[in-house]
Amino acid sequence: MEGFLKKYFAEEYSPMRKGFFLAAFSAVFIYAYQAVLAVMMNLGIVTVMNLLIALLLVAFDVYFADVTKRYTLCGVLLTVLVNFVSLPGLYLARNSLFSGSIVYFALGIVICAVAMEGAVMRILVATSLLFQMAVIFYQSRRMGPVVISSGASIRLLVEFSLAVVFCGIVSGFCIKRKVGYYFVEKQKAELAKNEAEAINQAKNVFLSNMSHEIRTPMNAILGTSQLLMASDIDEMSKDRVLNILNACNALLSSVNDLLVFSRIESDRITIEDDEYNFKELLSDIVNMISVRVMDKGIDFLVYVDKDVPDELYGDSKKLRQILINLLNNAVKYTKTGSITLIVKRKMGTDGHFELYCSVKDTGVGIADRDKAKIFNAFERADNGDNSINEIEGTGLGLSICKEIVDAMNGTLGFDSTYGEGSEFYFSVPQTPISFNGAKKKDETSEAVKSYSALVYEKDDKSNDMLMTTLAQCSVRAESVCGVAEFRTRLLSGDFTHLFVARTRYTELEGFIEKNLGDAKLIVLADINQTNVEGCPGMVMVRPIYYYNISALLSGDMHSSLRRISITGDFLCPGVRVMAVDDNLTNLQVVESLLERYDMQVITAGGGKECLYRLETQPVDIIFLDYMMPEMDGVDTLKNIRAMDAEWTNNVPIIALTANAVDGVREMLLGEGFDEYLSKPIEIGRLEKTILRFVPESMVKPVIKGEENG
């Protein structure tokens, strides 16, 4: 018996399998019982043979299910045999309108419900019920009035009573066992769910800890490297430091991808919509990618439709991640040529605004055989030439982009030709809020109608992009394609602006200075070629696109000038700032970064030291590490707010954390921090944080750039 139960009803089997065998063996017992009863009550050889044949057919159905594992099909066969063939056949053959056979119809319905699941079960139960009612109606009409003798009535009573008892026992047993199977499955599912949640929680803790452990030393390496790059060191040393920066950025990118993928795998990716400035977001991304493009010696072109709103409502963090992943991919797979970023306003099918972005490169492209797997995690297109081995990466970037775009209810696609390049494009719904200074835009548009520009770019692609951008800004412009033509047009034309590529300016420096007149000279330079000594105009760093051209034309010179790794575009003399970190190297990095803005920096190696120093040294802003021994950042924050000094209630406290998993920002702001910076610290974010929390009266702008007069 134990072997029988283990073979057919073991706990690891599915409820469908166990339900089928339970119903099938119940049918076997029914037919065996009825056959014995038919012999004992002398019901005739035909009835006995019918029952034995039905018994054999059910046994064959059990064997067929055991061999093929097709339990749904076998359940249908069992239901048809019991409810549509054997029981109705026996009922009609015996003229047993008043016998116990009618009770077996009810048991047949139970068998169907136990053997089947889902829509198939519901359909078969309903069909069986209707068919049985039709059979009973037919039999009652066929038999007509019936006279039952006293002896026959006793026999019918016995038969009916035995049928009720037996069918009741079998039905109760089937239902109880079926419910038991589902109860066991529910317990197993709950246990599996609890185990999965525990594993997921453990994984999140592990990822948070690993994020902290990896990013903390990387913060020290990147921070120190950036400081070295900004210091007075020789070119060979700068090249070596640049190699360190590139390697760290590649590692940081892989760590970030793994963290995001772990959230996606856990179904915990969330869209966090908020107001954001798209112009600032795009400028940060362009500045970041420009450095990588510079290292490879390829062109980076950007086109932004002027109809794209400055202020949007959406998940800027996820949008930033998509763009950086796509652009980084383009940089990785492009050795020569160019990368073009296009941003447009698009109307969705429902009439709502969508942000459309395209990243096009002249890289290796994707072979047809690899296109189907391009969005699969941990898979990368090798194109059959093993070139993939030369390129860093985890193979997660595009998979992450696809998951994020889907979560944002957007679309992501690509076109690629092997050997020629690829274009990845996506559109995501965003809610426009407003154009920043719409009135100012209109005024600027009117003012620039009198502007005329002469363009002498380094190549056709750059020329076409700049001409398109100037046309967006309503500037009348013409371009030249040679030295002789440039000389002729500059002498004969009356231009308000002169846009000249740095390589062209070097050839014509003396001629331009002599014949510039009242025109404004803008030298267009790559990010590593901005040192143009003696330039009578200004240097504008590539890529050139609508935002920086419109800023230039509107007189906002600051936003269009050259920017380096550590900008130094403003100073904060007199601002007292506290930096708290238990890691000495990281503390030194933060101190050095803040000192570049002429701040008075006070350092503390932990929460207790921070509180001790603040008792006698009030500060204007505090940068506080979140994860520290003895007293962590949250406890330190609460103790600062509880100090007996009025300034401690209002002083901005910025969390520094190496934990970069989703939800950290919300958690830290919920704990009472005013803002947070993730490690490694991005200079752009550090500057924005300083400008946000330091009073405007204590900030002194410093315009940097090559500008004369």
Side-chain angles (χ1 to χ4, degrees), residues 537-549:
M538 67 179 63
V539 177
M540 180 177 283
V541 67
R542 298 182 189 278
I544 311 301
Y545 57 108
Y546 177 75
Y547 289 152
N548 50 19
I549 286 289

Side-chain angles (χ1 to χ4, degrees), residues 534-575:
C535 175
M538 67 179 63
V539 177
M540 180 177 283
V541 67
R542 298 182 189 278
I544 311 301
Y545 57 108
Y546 177 75
Y547 289 152
N548 50 19
I549 286 289
S550 60
L552 168 72
L553 297 174
S554 66
D556 185 8
M557 314 295 278
H558 181 280
S559 65
S560 60
L561 295 179
R562 172 173 63 90
R563 300 180 69 84
I564 58 178
S565 297
I566 299 179
T567 63
D569 288 341
F570 64 89
L571 299 175
C572 301
V575 172

Side-chain angles (χ1 to χ4, degrees), residues 646-658:
E646 185 176 348
W647 67 271
T648 59
N649 293 322
N650 303 314
V651 61
I653 302 179
I654 316 302
L656 300 177
T657 176

Side-chain angles (χ1 to χ4, degrees), residues 68-270:
T68 64
K69 314 301 181 188
R70 301 176 66 179
Y71 302 113
T72 300
L73 174 61
C74 293
V76 172
L77 294 176
L78 177 65
T79 301
V80 170
L81 175 65
V82 172
N83 290 318
F84 295 92
V85 180
S86 63
L87 289 182
L90 290 170
Y91 178 77
L92 293 172
R94 293 185 57 204
N95 294 323
S96 50
L97 184 62
F98 300 102
S99 74
S101 296
I102 196 171
V103 181
Y104 288 98
F105 282 171
L107 184 57
I109 299 296
V110 172
I111 288 175
C112 176
V114 171
M116 306 299 299
E117 287 184 349
V120 177
M121 179 268 288
R122 290 190 289 272
I123 292 172
L124 286 175
V125 166
T127 307
S128 299
L129 186 59
L130 291 173
F131 182 75
Q132 291 174 3
M133 290 174 63
V135 170
I136 294 172
F137 178 77
Y138 169 76
Q139 183 73 332
S140 63
R141 298 283 298 196
R142 184 171 70 90
M143 290 179 63
V146 178
V147 178
I148 302 175
S149 64
S150 59
S153 63
I154 295 174
R155 178 178 174 180
L156 289 174
L157 179 61
V158 172
E159 185 178 347
F160 186 84
S161 300
L162 290 173
V164 169
V165 172
F166 183 80
C167 290
I169 292 173
V170 174
S171 297
F173 177 77
C174 288
I175 294 171
K176 181 179 179 181
R177 295 293 295 181
K178 183 74 171 180
V179 171
Y181 295 152
Y182 278 106
F183 182 74
V184 170
E185 290 299 316
K186 182 180 178 182
Q187 285 185 320
K188 287 166 62 177
E190 290 179 352
L191 181 61
K193 179 183 176 183
N194 293 336
E195 289 179 352
E197 289 178 351
I199 292 172
N200 195 42
Q201 180 65 26
K203 184 171 74 172
N204 287 335
V205 172
F206 171 78
L207 288 170
S208 297
N209 290 336
M210 288 307 298
S211 173
H212 181 271
E213 294 302 321
I214 293 173
R215 295 170 72 96
T216 295
M218 285 179 65
N219 178 57
I221 298 170
L222 283 169
T224 305
S225 300
Q226 291 180 50
L227 292 171
L228 282 172
M229 285 293 290
S231 63
D232 187 18
I233 59 177
D234 59 74
E235 290 301 317
M236 181 178 290
S237 298
K238 282 192 175 182
D239 287 341
R240 290 170 178 170
V241 174
L242 188 59
N243 289 336
I244 295 173
L245 279 169
N246 289 338
C248 284
N249 283 323
L251 177 57
L252 184 61
S253 177
S254 297
V255 170
N256 289 339
D257 283 350
L258 289 169
L259 288 173
V260 175
F261 182 74
S262 70
R263 306 292 288 187
I264 294 172
E265 196 179 36
S266 304
D267 293 327
R268 297 187 65 181
I269 184 171
T270 54

Side-chain angles (χ1 to χ4, degrees), residues 204-467:
N204 287 335
V205 172
F206 171 78
L207 288 170
S208 297
N209 290 336
M210 288 307 298
S211 173
H212 181 271
E213 294 302 321
I214 293 173
R215 295 170 72 96
T216 295
M218 285 179 65
N219 178 57
I221 298 170
L222 283 169
T224 305
S225 300
Q226 291 180 50
L227 292 171
L228 282 172
M229 285 293 290
S231 63
D232 187 18
I233 59 177
D234 59 74
E235 290 301 317
M236 181 178 290
S237 298
K238 282 192 175 182
D239 287 341
R240 290 170 178 170
V241 174
L242 188 59
N243 289 336
I244 295 173
L245 279 169
N246 289 338
C248 284
N249 283 323
L251 177 57
L252 184 61
S253 177
S254 297
V255 170
N256 289 339
D257 283 350
L258 289 169
L259 288 173
V260 175
F261 182 74
S262 70
R263 306 292 288 187
I264 294 172
E265 196 179 36
S266 304
D267 293 327
R268 297 187 65 181
I269 184 171
T270 54
I271 302 303
E272 302 165 353
D273 292 336
D274 201 356
E275 295 182 11
Y276 69 96
N277 188 294
F278 179 73
K279 180 164 62 175
E280 293 181 2
L281 172 72
L282 188 67
S283 297
D284 285 346
I285 294 171
V286 168
N287 289 338
M288 181 189 309
I289 299 300
S290 295
V291 177
R292 296 205 61 193
V293 168
M294 172 197 72
D295 297 338
K296 300 197 72 172
I298 54 181
D299 292 329
F300 183 28
L301 307 174
V302 177
Y303 172 81
V304 180
D305 193 328
K306 68 176 182 179
D307 291 331
V308 174
D310 293 347
E311 300 288 335
L312 293 172
Y313 184 82
D315 193 328
S316 60
K317 186 177 179 181
K318 299 292 190 303
L319 180 62
R320 175 188 177 92
Q321 197 162 22
I322 298 168
L323 283 170
I324 288 177
N325 268 331
L326 294 181
L327 286 166
N328 277 338
N329 255 19
V331 174
K332 284 193 291 187
Y333 290 97
T334 305
K335 294 182 179 179
T336 59
S338 63
I339 295 170
T340 305
L341 170 63
I342 297 174
V343 181
K344 293 181 179 180
R345 177 184 183 131
K346 177 183 175 184
M347 297 308 295
T349 54
D350 56 356
H352 288 84
F353 168 78
E354 288 190 358
L355 187 68
Y356 172 86
C357 301
S358 164
V359 177
K360 190 173 184 178
D361 64 63
T362 57
V364 296
I366 304 168
D368 290 340
R369 65 174 173 273
D370 290 326
K371 289 180 179 179
K373 66 180 182 181
I374 200 67
F375 292 120
N376 294 347
F378 299 106
E379 289 196 47
R380 304 166 72 192
D382 59 14
N383 294 326
D385 56 7
N386 293 323
S387 59
I388 189 69
N389 297 326
E390 303 173 7
I391 300 173
E392 65 198 19
T394 58
L396 286 174
L398 291 177
S399 171
I400 289 170
C401 287
K402 185 71 169 66
E403 294 287 348
I404 294 175
V405 170
D406 288 346
M408 296 175 76
N409 297 318
T411 58
L412 171 65
F414 73 98
D415 296 312
S416 183
T417 303
Y418 181 49
E420 297 182 13
S422 304
E423 180 182 12
F424 285 83
Y425 46 86
F426 70 93
S427 60
V428 290
Q430 301 285 277
T431 303
I433 298 176
S434 67
F435 285 93
N436 260 350
K439 184 177 180 181
K440 184 178 179 182
K441 285 177 179 285
D442 295 337
E443 291 172 354
T444 302
S445 179
E446 289 296 323
V448 300
K449 286 182 179 179
S450 60
Y451 291 170
S452 59
L454 180 63
V455 176
Y456 189 19
E457 260 287 18
K458 62 179 182 177
D459 53 48
D460 290 342
K461 277 188 175 181
S462 300
N463 178 79
D464 293 343
M465 189 66 77
L466 179 54
M467 292 292 288

